[in-house]
Amino acid sequence: FFSNHAIDLGAELPFQIGRAQQISVGTDLSFSVHADPAPPERHDFSAYIGYSVNLTRSLSANAVARLAVRDYVDSNRTDVSGIFALGATYRFTKWLSANAITSFAVNDSNQDAFDYQVGNIGGALSLTFRF
């Protein structure tokens, strides 16, 4: 098992475009204070931009792009990752919705064994109870 204690900081600035659209920009910082075992310990620094739109009263879509730098504390390893995701939600009622998401990620490390590209497609059915 892995245990990590970290200081996490984040900031986001949303920009409302009319009633149905929003662009958000932000940053997330994570400074690892102590990890057990120590080798996977890392600091994460990332910036992102997101866009969301309500296409109809029931259908919404979003897109997010994130650039992250991961500095591993106990090794001479630094990774740079790019992540892009698209999602859609259809609300059948106030308490029932279906979600679909697809994402693509690229990791470029100064250690070739950790370079990769991956794509994912997924979906979910969610129930939300409102009162």
Side-chain angles (χ1 to χ4, degrees), residues 48-126:
Y48 61 89
I49 184 167
Y51 173 74
S52 61
V53 60
N54 292 328
L55 300 168
T56 68
R57 289 182 187 228
S58 299
L59 180 62
S60 61
N62 60 63
V64 177
R66 177 181 297 269
L67 182 63
V69 176
R70 296 179 176 95
D71 179 30
Y72 289 81
V73 176
D74 283 351
S75 66
N76 187 24
R77 178 179 163 198
T78 303
D79 292 5
V80 177
S81 298
I83 303 161
F84 180 71
L86 294 171
T89 301
Y90 188 83
R91 289 172 198 77
F92 297 100
T93 67
K94 289 184 177 182
W95 52 269
L96 178 65
S97 62
N99 306 294
I101 187 168
T102 185
S103 64
F104 179 73
V106 169
N107 194 68
D108 183 28
S109 178
N110 63 342
Q111 296 181 13
D112 292 340
F114 298 104
D115 291 347
Y116 63 84
Q117 296 178 356
V118 64
N120 296 301
I121 297 174
L125 183 63
S126 61

Side-chain angles (χ1 to χ4, degrees), residues 12-18 21-26 49-52:
E12 181 175 288
L13 184 60
F15 299 95
Q16 194 73 28
I17 305 170
Q21 301 177 65
Q22 179 173 300
I23 293 175
S24 299
V25 294
I49 184 167
Y51 173 74
S52 61

